Amino acid sequence: MKTKKLFLFGLILAFISCNEKKIFSEYKTDFKANQWQKNDVKSFDITIDDESKNYDLTFILSHVFDYQFDKVPVTINIKNPKGETEIMNIDLILKDSAGKDKGDCLGDICDLKQTFKKNVNLIKGNYVISVAHTFNNSYLPNISSLGLEVTLSE
C-alpha cells in the first residue's frame, strides 16, 4: 500500500513539474466547417514576465487523420514589446518521408506539434504572434484547431 501511495505521489509531482514549464497555451477552434480561410489570421497575445529565461514557441495544428497534404505553408508575425515585427515563413510538416502522419493521432484527429522558435530569449512585455496559411487555395480543409504553446527551454 505504501508503494502505491509513493508511486501516485511521484506521478502527481511529475505531472505538476511538466506543467510548470508551460507559461502560455491557447487554442483557436473557430474554423467553420473545418476550413481555415486564407484571410483568417489567428493571433495570440502573450506576456513574458521573466526575460532571464529562454523559451520555446510551438504551434499545435489539429487536422483530420491521413491529411491530403504533406505540409502547410504559414507566415508567422511576431510583434515584440518594442513594436518590432519579425516575419517568418515556415512549413508545418504533417507527414514524414514515408507518408505517415507526424502528429499524435487519436481516432480521426491528429495533433501536430511543431516548434518554430527554440531556446530564444524574449524581452519582458507583451507579444502578439499571428499566423496565416499561405496555401494555394482560398481555404485549407480539414483543420479543427490551431494552438500556440510557450514553454521554458530545457
Side-chain angles (χ1 to χ4, degrees), residues 35-147:
Q35 296 177 352
W36 185 4
Q37 300 297 320
K38 192 165 199 119
N39 61 357
D40 185 12
V41 178
K42 301 296 184 188
S43 292
F44 302 89
D45 298 316
I46 302 161
T47 301
I48 298 297
D49 294 324
D50 188 351
E51 60 186 36
S52 70
K53 298 181 176 163
N54 287 356
Y55 301 92
D56 296 336
L57 286 75
T58 303
F59 278 123
I60 300 96
L61 182 71
S62 295
H63 60 85
V64 171
F65 176 75
D66 198 22
Y67 200 68
Q68 61 264 49
F69 307 111
D70 295 338
K71 61 185 175 182
V72 173
V74 295
T75 297
I76 303 164
N77 291 309
I78 304 171
K79 184 176 179 184
N80 70 21
K82 295 179 182 178
E84 303 164 337
T85 301
E86 176 184 2
I87 300 171
M88 301 173 61
N89 294 304
I90 67 166
D91 289 328
L92 298 176
I93 308 297
L94 304 176
K95 296 185 179 191
D96 63 17
S97 59
K100 184 180 174 202
D101 281 303
K102 289 185 77 172
D104 292 327
C105 301
L106 182 61
D108 61 349
I109 298 294
C110 298
D111 295 324
L112 172 81
K113 283 188 167 193
Q114 185 170 323
T115 301
F116 62 95
K117 285 273 198 186
K118 189 162 184 68
N119 201 26
V120 294
N121 184 258
L122 301 173
I123 61 173
K124 188 175 183 176
N126 297 321
Y127 288 77
V128 177
I129 298 177
S130 57
V131 60
H133 77 80
T134 55
F135 186 68
N136 290 331
N137 202 346
S138 60
Y139 68 89
L140 193 60
N142 300 319
I143 302 295
S144 58
S145 72
L146 176 70

